Amino acid sequence: MTHARAASSRGGRTTGWWAKAWLRAVEEAAYGEADLRRGRSLARSGRVGAVTVDGGSFVAAVEEGDDAHTVSGTVEVWDDVAAATLVEIVAARSGRVTELLAGELPLSLVEDAEEAGVELVPYAGELDATCTCQAWLDPCPHALAVLVVLSVLLDRDPLVLFHLRGLDREQLLARLHARTVSAPPGPDAVEGDDEGDLDVGLDAVLRAQRLLELVARGDTAADHLF
């Protein structure tokens, strides 16, 4: 998924604790304060282009003077067991899906994930980024600029972090939906329990996404849904 320029519109500032945690990792990954200041300046002045995020990787162009450099980086992805565990953790408490889709990452979710051995926010040593400027140290200021911009993207949408870890938004919703559809209700299940709430919430999200797609296309088939 490609994300348009982000940091210049907000000055590169973050408010979510998870984005601040990412920034702390970026600061620790920098080899010196001068490189970090230069990277922040490039990010906040809008010199970082659109950032393309995929499972385990990201890439973006950074302009400086008359030159343009390409930064590419990697983040460790979850294996199948970790991804499945994370899905179970998201589904374990009612309201977590709604919070994630609303741009919030519940601290309790991260705590539960860490307790289960699943790490969300990477440490400094896990942020691997290289640049075509051929600096003798990585991450160079251009790479740091991209990492700063990523903090803004994460701040706006914590599911970008999930995507970097190998579980994008569509995959997460699909797994949660499949989980609630395939799992039969237990003998003690009652109306309004967490499983039911999750299923109803996911159904509403999927319907809303479909409606937005129809409206965006100007499809008259959406009229009866109002």
Side-chain angles (χ1 to χ4, degrees):
M1 178 179 291
T2 300
H3 301 267
R5 294 175 187 263
S8 59
S9 63
R10 290 179 51 175
R13 299 183 183 89
T14 57
T15 57
W17 68 264
W18 59 94
K20 292 179 179 179
W22 175 280
L23 272 179
R24 282 196 298 272
V26 174
E27 292 168 356
E28 293 172 1
Y31 279 90
E33 185 61 30
D35 285 351
L36 186 58
R37 285 198 301 269
R38 186 174 158 199
R40 284 172 171 164
S41 177
L42 289 168
R44 292 170 179 172
S45 60
R47 300 302 183 89
V48 178
V51 181
T52 299
V53 173
D54 204 348
S57 67
F58 57 88
V59 62
V62 181
E63 300 172 357
E64 187 173 30
D66 295 329
D67 298 322
H69 307 285
T70 300
V71 172
S72 57
T74 59
V75 176
E76 184 177 351
V77 300
W78 294 318
D79 59 22
D80 291 341
V81 173
T85 299
L86 195 282
V87 170
E88 292 299 316
I89 290 170
V90 172
R93 294 193 187 183
S94 177
R96 278 182 172 171
V97 175
T98 302
E99 288 180 284
L100 287 170
L101 293 174
E104 294 292 331
L105 180 57
L107 182 57
S108 63
L109 188 158
V110 180
E111 292 173 340
D112 290 347
E114 289 183 350
E115 187 175 337
V118 181
E119 182 181 301
L120 276 84
V121 182
Y123 294 104
E126 295 180 286
L127 297 177
D128 184 18
T130 59
C131 179
T132 56
C133 74
Q134 297 182 342
W136 67 283
L137 287 177
D138 291 325
C140 69
H142 308 112
L144 291 170
V146 174
L147 290 168
V148 169
V149 167
L150 273 169
S151 74
V152 179
L153 297 177
L154 295 174
D155 197 35
R156 291 177 173 177
D157 183 4
L159 289 179
V160 173
L161 180 56
F162 284 52
H163 194 173
L164 281 169
R165 289 296 198 182
L167 186 66
D168 66 25
R169 177 188 301 261
E170 288 71 25
Q171 290 172 330
L172 174 63
L173 292 176
R175 288 196 183 198
L176 287 167
H177 186 65
R179 177 186 179 280
T180 57
V181 168
S182 62
D188 298 325
V190 296
E191 185 177 357
D193 65 5
D194 285 350
E195 288 288 335
D197 290 344
L198 177 61
D199 199 22
V200 171
L202 281 172
D203 184 64
V205 168
L206 294 172
R207 287 175 180 271
Q209 287 183 333
R210 176 58 178 160
L211 176 58
L212 289 173
E213 291 172 0
L214 292 172
V215 172
R217 295 204 311 263
D219 197 327
T220 57
D223 293 344
H224 74 283
L225 298 176
F226 290 97

